[in-house]
């Protein structure tokens, strides 16, 4: 098994164990046993449980980044892409946090360490928003003065509502159509979308 495959297997096994037993209750030995790798192999790749936890978070973010890229590449109008990217991102992060059970508490308690791992994802996300905004501008769907700044603002707005969204504090009582109307009004009002 190649180095990257071994590391990926260790991360996947850790993800499953964290979801089942919780981060606190999972030991490095548990991960080594479940992956059928020795402790020496595990410690070759990861110095601590915290390090493997952050690798799990990073791998989840890579999956999310791929999901958003697929939306950005869809053959739909730029305004539809933008909304779908926002919902894909919020729903995927919410699903990851809930799927991983006790990872949820760990995620909220350790949000600043998670932030360090997210830098690469954040940069990719801003570039995806920028590409869709440029496409929308080229097609006359959006009228934007500064695409770079707008992509940053969308990124930070979505990131800012992430935790309240995960916790169900935003829009939990709204049906999907009403929620979409509110989000569309805010996003498209800011982008000066033209009706097509």
């Amino acid at each position: 098994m190649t180095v990257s495959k071994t590391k990926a297997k260790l991360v996947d096994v850790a993800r499953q164990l964290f979801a089942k037993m919780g981060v606190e209750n999972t030991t490095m030995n548990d991960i080594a046993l479940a992956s059928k790798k020795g402790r020496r192999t595990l410690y070759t790749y990861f110095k601590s449980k915290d390090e493997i936890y952050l690798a799990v978070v990073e791998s989840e973010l890579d999956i999310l980044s791929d999901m958003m890229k697929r939306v950005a590449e869809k053959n739909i109008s730029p305004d539809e892409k933008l909304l779908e990217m926002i919902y894909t991102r919020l729903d995927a992060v919410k699903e990851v946090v809930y799927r991983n059970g006790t990872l949820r508490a760990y995620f909220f308690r350790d949000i600043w360490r998670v932030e360090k791992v997210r830098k690469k994802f954040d940069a990719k996300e801003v570039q995806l928003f920028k590409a869709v905004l440029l496409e929308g501008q080229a097609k006359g769907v959006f009228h934007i003065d500064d695409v770079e700044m707008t992509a940053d603002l969308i990124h930070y707005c979505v990131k800012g509502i992430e935790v309240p969204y995960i916790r169900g504090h935003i829009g939990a009582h709204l049906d999907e159509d009403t929620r979409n109307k509110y989000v569309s009004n805010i996003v498209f009002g800011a982008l000066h979308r033209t009706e097509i």
Side-chain angles (χ1 to χ4, degrees):
M1 196 178 266
T2 65
V3 170
S4 59
K5 280 187 178 177
T6 301
K7 187 173 183 177
K9 178 168 176 60
L10 292 169
V11 169
D12 191 51
V13 167
R15 175 190 295 111
Q16 292 172 38
L17 289 174
F18 291 160
K20 191 166 116 186
M21 298 167 39
V23 177
E24 285 88 356
N25 298 326
T26 303
T27 66
M28 291 291 274
N29 198 46
D30 294 332
I31 297 167
L33 287 170
S35 65
K36 296 180 177 47
K37 302 284 177 200
R39 286 172 50 93
R40 181 180 291 160
T41 301
L42 179 60
Y43 280 100
T44 299
Y45 294 101
F46 302 101
K47 292 178 182 73
S48 66
K49 182 170 65 170
D50 279 348
E51 202 173 289
I52 199 164
Y53 164 74
L54 292 174
V56 167
V57 171
E58 188 171 11
S59 93
E60 293 285 4
L61 290 170
D62 286 342
I63 292 166
L64 174 54
S65 192
D66 289 343
M67 289 168 67
M68 290 184 67
K69 188 172 185 234
R70 283 193 297 277
V71 173
E73 292 169 349
K74 279 186 171 183
N75 189 21
I76 56 178
S77 66
D79 52 340
E80 290 177 78
K81 279 184 198 182
L82 196 58
L83 282 183
E84 192 171 331
M85 286 170 70
I86 290 169
Y87 287 128
T88 296
R89 182 196 192 286
L90 288 173
D91 291 339
V93 170
K94 184 177 188 175
E95 195 268 322
V96 165
V97 171
Y98 275 91
R99 174 170 32 97
N100 285 300
T102 59
L103 188 62
R104 178 182 183 202
Y106 208 80
F107 176 88
F108 289 121
R109 189 176 61 246
D110 208 22
I111 196 89
W112 295 114
R113 290 205 42 228
V114 170
E115 277 300 306
K116 285 170 60 176
V117 177
R118 288 179 63 154
K119 282 185 178 179
K120 187 171 77 173
F121 167 78
D122 288 351
K124 284 183 192 175
E125 181 179 70
V126 169
Q127 289 309 307
L128 286 172
F129 282 139
K130 184 179 170 186
V132 172
L133 292 172
L134 286 169
E135 178 190 349
Q137 197 163 28
K139 291 181 175 178
V141 177
F142 304 137
H143 298 290
I144 307 164
D145 294 330
D146 186 335
V147 171
E148 193 91 31
M149 173 64 89
T150 304
D152 280 340
L153 286 170
I154 292 171
H155 162 73
Y156 284 113
C157 286
V158 174
K159 190 173 183 174
I161 63 169
E162 186 176 271
V163 171
Y165 185 81
I166 290 168
R167 290 184 170 155
H169 296 264
I170 294 179
H173 65 288
L174 299 175
D175 61 73
E176 195 173 326
D177 288 339
T178 307
R179 180 184 78 162
N180 288 348
K181 186 179 86 179
Y182 282 120
V183 173
S184 297
N185 288 342
I186 290 168
V187 173
F188 297 145
L191 296 176
H192 306 293
R193 180 183 71 164
T194 56
E195 293 301 321
I196 28 179

